[in-house]
Amino acid sequence: MHFITSRRTVRAAAVALAATIPCVTLADPAQAATQTQAQTAPSAPKSVRVHDGHLVDLPVRGGTATVDAATLRVTARTGKGEIELSAATAPGRPGKVTTTADGARWTYPGTGLTVTARSEQGRLVVSVKSTGATDRTLNWPVTGTDRGVSALQLPRGEGLSLPVTDAFWNSDRAQLVNSDLDMSSALTMPLWGHSLDGRGGVSYIVPTDIGTSLRSTSDHGRLRTTATHRFSRGEGTTDYTVAFALTDGSPVAPAVDYRAWLGQHGQLGSLRAKIDAVPATKKLLGAFHAYTWGDARTAEGVKKLRALGVDRMWLGYDADDTPMDAAAVAAAKKAGYLVGPYDSFANGQDPKTSDAPTSVWPDKVYPDFCVQGADGKPVPGFHDRGCYLSSEAFEKAEPTRHYLADRTRKMTANGADSYFLDVDAAGELFRDHSDAHPMDQARDRANRLARMKRLSGEDRLVLGSESAGAWSNQVLAFDHGSATPVADGLWKAQKDKEKWGGYTPAKAPGIFFKPAELPADVAKAMYDPAYRVPLFETALHDSLVNTERWELSYDKLPQQKTTRALLAMLYNTPLNFVLDGKSIQERGSELAALQKYFKPLHEAAGTQAMTDFRTLNADRTVQRTVFGDGTLTVTANFGSKAHDGLPGGCVDAKLRGDKKPRRLCPADINR
């Protein structure tokens, strides 16, 4: 199955942040290059209607939604028939349904749950509040149950669109079915969606992502999904909201809807505004990203990279005993590069035995700032090293003790103008049971946002973090990791030190530098272009610069190099590398050639929204994107056969004003 996104649709909702998404017709595969046309939505009732005692009709863009208070089943009537947005569940016997100014309200006596359903900006918004004293869970909505559903969209990393009958994704090999994805950390955006054959699609947004997970199951060979929310006073998750929208059914429609939702709620960042606030941010445009080791951290190493013709880079260095010195930082700035340290505010260890400088803190930060579990014991840190440090403890201490400000000042004393703060925008959120610094997960997130805002605002650093969740898009300029749709098998592969490499030698650790081969199923789940769609870029391309995980450098996975290069150019996102003196000498020219091609494209479109995504053939091997109002058009051929003159394994990019496309065939570089 293949889909087309109407540029008119995307621009209306994604660029202008229109309130809703008009319904459009899905294209037939035989007409893959034909743009779809918007359809006239049937007139919707102008008020809420309650009938049969338990059915609530509400107007939505594209039709009328009906919520059954008895079962929480949700359907929608559109010009093309009825769609089931959620199957029934068992919330309990409802009380009387009463109308409100914009919807309806009812309770489930004995459960402590109160439900409101309303129309908002063309969406159906259902909120459930728990007033009970005991924790409880609600498994709802139950989606993908309509027999017309053809694909499931998930924002795992950059994004996936999975045919619901695909044998691979319904099998254990893909490691998706029967797994619970935490919506606050395992997904880059709090959403999912479905496409339906010939009847548009549905978007689901969960603004109350904390406490919510999403489970995919296989029902007679068809993928279906169920959200589960845990209501807990202690966790601060007593409110649960799901916003439903009818879409055009394209594989990026859920992200179009989410972008509009962010804009309507004042939560959409702007890379252009970040450049205005911190001018050094402009150096991200056209830059590839690399972590440096050994000689690449020296002024001489930087000069060698610049001599190859690389005129834009983000250079980072790990937290060890050989950071970039002032001379290297000065050379990087002179070359036009951004340069910054890796740091983490998340880990604390005993200074006498710590294995990382970033885990050493003054006074009694360790162990006094450790997050405490429900058992009163410190929560072990990553790989069971030390403990996770409480963001609430830091925020309480910061006005007088300045632990974070002092750390940042020390880390940038060499003149660094960028900063990479690990975990803060990605990692697991914590509830801290400490009496001295209690917090729930929402408070943890708020604290992280506050300190990241200080780094990018007050300290005027070009800030990045790991695998950024969409909730951090206003404070970050870049991230490392949100482009990678990690499959669980990746972690298992990385534990095989013989094949993957370990943390030696110190100046070029094998875990980063040693080429490796992904298991076939992991490679398929992560990099098969037939399943990849730019959800993250559709929503946030002009908000922050997005790359793959930093331990998955471009050279780490030789078999995926061409695919990853084509994806980067198609999505207008940088490639990332790890560099030492040897790699600059042996493969620096390849980096330079790729960066030379990428730079003018990203300079022109890096601050523009992705306004169109489509596939041009039935097997989805030829894909096209558009940025801005035609500022940049990119066509990538992931297949082995030429398509309309574009050879397999190549990409054509055309900037407005170009007389002919600019072609790149990554496998031919340095051949």
Side-chain angles (χ1 to χ4, degrees):
M1 183 64 188
H2 105 274
F3 303 87
I4 288 180
T5 304
S6 163
R7 186 183 305 175
R8 175 180 173 184
T9 297
V10 179
R11 288 199 64 233
V15 181
L17 297 179
T20 54
I21 309 169
C23 287
V24 299
T25 304
L26 289 175
D28 184 86
Q31 299 174 321
T34 304
Q35 185 165 323
T36 57
Q37 299 296 319
Q39 304 296 305
T40 302
S43 58
K46 299 185 182 302
S47 60
V48 179
R49 175 174 174 252
V50 178
H51 55 102
D52 297 334
H54 58 94
L55 299 178
V56 182
D57 292 346
L58 298 110
V60 294
R61 182 60 59 96
T64 301
T66 298
V67 182
D68 186 342
T71 65
L72 282 180
R73 181 174 185 253
V74 183
T75 57
R77 297 190 303 278
T78 74
K80 296 184 178 181
E82 184 174 275
I83 301 171
E84 184 170 70
L85 310 188
S86 173
T89 187
R93 182 184 294 272
K96 182 180 179 180
V97 178
T98 59
T99 58
T100 62
D102 58 355
R105 177 181 181 275
W106 63 93
T107 63
Y108 295 105
T111 69
L113 297 180
T114 298
V115 179
T116 59
R118 66 186 188 278
S119 298
E120 180 183 293
Q121 301 283 359
R123 301 181 186 88
L124 166 67
V125 179
V126 179
S127 297
V128 185
K129 184 177 183 64
S130 174
T131 58
T134 59
D135 294 353
R136 65 177 62 248
T137 60
L138 176 64
N139 299 317
W140 179 86
V142 181
T143 74
T145 53
D146 189 294
R147 296 303 296 177
V149 168
S150 57
L152 163 67
Q153 288 88 40
L154 284 176
R156 191 159 79 172
E158 178 59 63
L160 301 169
S161 184
L162 311 176
V164 295
T165 58
D166 188 280
F168 173 72
W169 288 99
N170 277 274
S171 73
D172 293 337
R173 295 165 50 207
Q175 296 185 303
L176 174 67
V177 295
N178 299 320
S179 63
D180 294 296
L181 300 174
D182 188 321
M183 295 198 74
S184 66
S185 59
L187 300 178
T188 54
M189 298 179 286
L191 62 85
W192 73 99
H194 292 294
S195 302
L196 292 96
D197 286 326
R199 287 186 291 150
V202 189
S203 162
Y204 305 86
I205 297 172
V206 183
T208 53
D209 56 333
I210 296 174
T212 308
S213 62
L214 188 67
R215 168 169 282 233
S216 296
T217 56
S218 180
D219 182 15
H220 295 90
R222 293 176 60 87
L223 292 174
R224 61 190 294 181
T225 49
T226 301
T228 296
H229 186 80
R230 180 170 180 262
F231 296 95
S232 170
R233 284 190 174 184
E235 298 287 352
T237 56
T238 56
D239 293 288
Y240 177 41
T241 296
V242 181
F244 303 73
L246 301 178
T247 73
D248 65 6
S250 87
V252 295
V256 173
D257 183 38
Y258 183 57
R259 177 182 172 85
W261 189 94
L262 287 173
Q264 293 155 7
H265 291 81
Q267 296 176 18
L268 183 64
S270 163
L271 186 58
R272 188 177 285 115
K274 294 168 188 175
I275 291 172
D276 290 341
V278 183
T281 307
K282 189 174 184 180
K283 291 192 285 185
L284 285 173
L285 299 179
F288 283 171
H289 294 230
Y291 272 90
T292 57
W293 301 77
D295 292 342
R297 291 185 182 178
T298 66
E300 188 61 29
V302 171
K303 291 174 183 176
K304 288 181 179 179
L305 189 62
R306 182 63 184 88
L308 291 170
V310 180
D311 59 356
R312 279 290 183 271
M313 286 293 294
W314 181 91
L315 296 181
Y317 47 94
D318 202 15
D320 55 25
D321 56 357
T322 58
M324 275 191 165
D325 61 20
V329 170
K333 287 183 172 180
K334 184 177 180 181
Y337 303 167
L338 283 166
V339 59
Y342 163 98
D343 196 6
S344 175
F345 297 162
N347 187 249
Q349 298 181 38
D350 186 334
K352 297 177 181 178
T353 58
S354 173
D355 58 5
T358 55
S359 299
V360 176
W361 297 89
D363 303 330
K364 293 183 67 178
V365 167
Y366 179 86
D368 288 0
F369 283 21
C370 289
V371 172
Q372 285 188 17
D375 59 2
K377 297 179 180 179
V379 175
F382 187 63
H383 285 174
D384 292 328
R385 299 175 301 175
C387 71
Y388 278 104
L389 296 176
S390 170
S391 64
E392 181 70 7
F394 273 123
E395 287 302 292
K396 284 188 170 184
E398 195 63 14
T400 56
R401 302 310 302 251
H402 316 304
Y403 292 123
L404 301 182
D406 289 348
R407 165 67 75 85
T408 304
R409 191 176 302 111
K410 178 181 178 181
M411 297 287 277
T412 57
N414 58 2
D417 53 2
S418 184
Y419 215 79
F420 183 83
L421 188 60
D422 197 23
V423 177
D424 259 36
E428 181 183 0
L429 298 170
F430 292 99
R431 179 182 178 186
D432 191 347
H433 293 262
S434 166
D435 291 335
H437 37 79
M439 69 177 180
D440 59 22
Q441 292 184 56
R443 180 68 178 179
D444 190 13
R445 178 181 283 181
N447 291 337
R448 298 184 193 200
L449 284 169
R451 66 195 192 188
M452 286 190 286
K453 187 175 181 179
R454 291 196 296 270
L455 287 169
S456 58
E458 297 174 15
D459 296 332
R460 298 177 64 79
L461 293 165
V462 181
L463 182 64
S465 189
E466 175 194 3
S467 300
W471 52 268
S472 63
N473 85 88
Q474 292 180 288
V475 297
L476 294 182
F478 67 95
D479 81 81
H480 293 162
S482 292
T484 306
V486 172
D488 286 346
L490 175 65
W491 312 130
K492 182 179 179 180
Q494 289 184 351
K495 291 178 181 178
D496 187 338
K497 302 305 181 187
E498 182 177 346
K499 293 182 179 179
W500 198 268
Y503 286 93
T504 58
K507 292 186 177 181
I511 192 170
F512 305 123
F513 284 88
K514 182 180 180 178
E517 181 178 343
L518 287 172
D521 288 340
V522 177
K524 184 178 181 69
M526 291 177 61
Y527 291 113
D528 189 331
Y531 305 124
R532 294 286 300 262
V533 292
L535 296 178
F536 197 86
E537 298 313 310
T538 296
L540 296 170
H541 181 266
D542 57 342
S543 179
L544 75 165
V545 175
N546 183 28
T547 77
E548 287 214 58
R549 295 183 62 86
W550 75 286
E551 83 273 23
L552 295 179
S553 71
Y554 183 60
D555 295 312
K556 181 68 181 180
L557 305 173
Q559 292 191 18
Q560 281 74 44
K561 285 182 73 170
T562 293
T563 294
R564 295 173 78 193
L566 295 184
L567 284 169
M569 302 309 157
L570 182 68
Y571 296 169
N572 198 231
T573 55
L575 290 168
N576 65 346
F577 295 79
V578 289
L579 297 175
D580 65 349
K582 182 180 179 182
S583 60
I584 291 176
Q585 180 179 347
E586 295 181 351
R587 297 187 300 280
S589 60
E590 180 183 23
L591 185 159
L594 291 167
Q595 190 265 337
K596 182 179 181 180
Y597 180 85
F598 175 74
K599 182 188 175 186
L601 310 181
H602 199 230
E603 286 182 327
T607 58
Q608 303 274 322
M610 179 184 282
T611 51
D612 190 23
F613 169 78
R614 62 182 66 195
T615 56
L616 304 184
N617 62 348
D619 64 5
R620 298 182 56 83
T621 55
V622 183
Q623 303 178 14
R624 176 172 292 163
T625 53
V626 178
F627 298 86
D629 189 13
T631 299
L632 172 66
T633 301
V634 185
T635 306
N637 186 349
F638 297 95
S640 57
K641 297 179 180 179
H643 177 89
D644 198 21
L646 178 61
C650 298
V651 59
D652 275 350
K654 192 172 183 180
L655 290 169
R656 180 187 286 117
D658 283 352
K659 293 183 178 180
K660 62 179 182 179
R662 308 164 185 230
R663 179 162 294 174
L664 173 71
C665 300
D668 291 342
I669 297 176
N670 293 347
R671 177 172 289 177

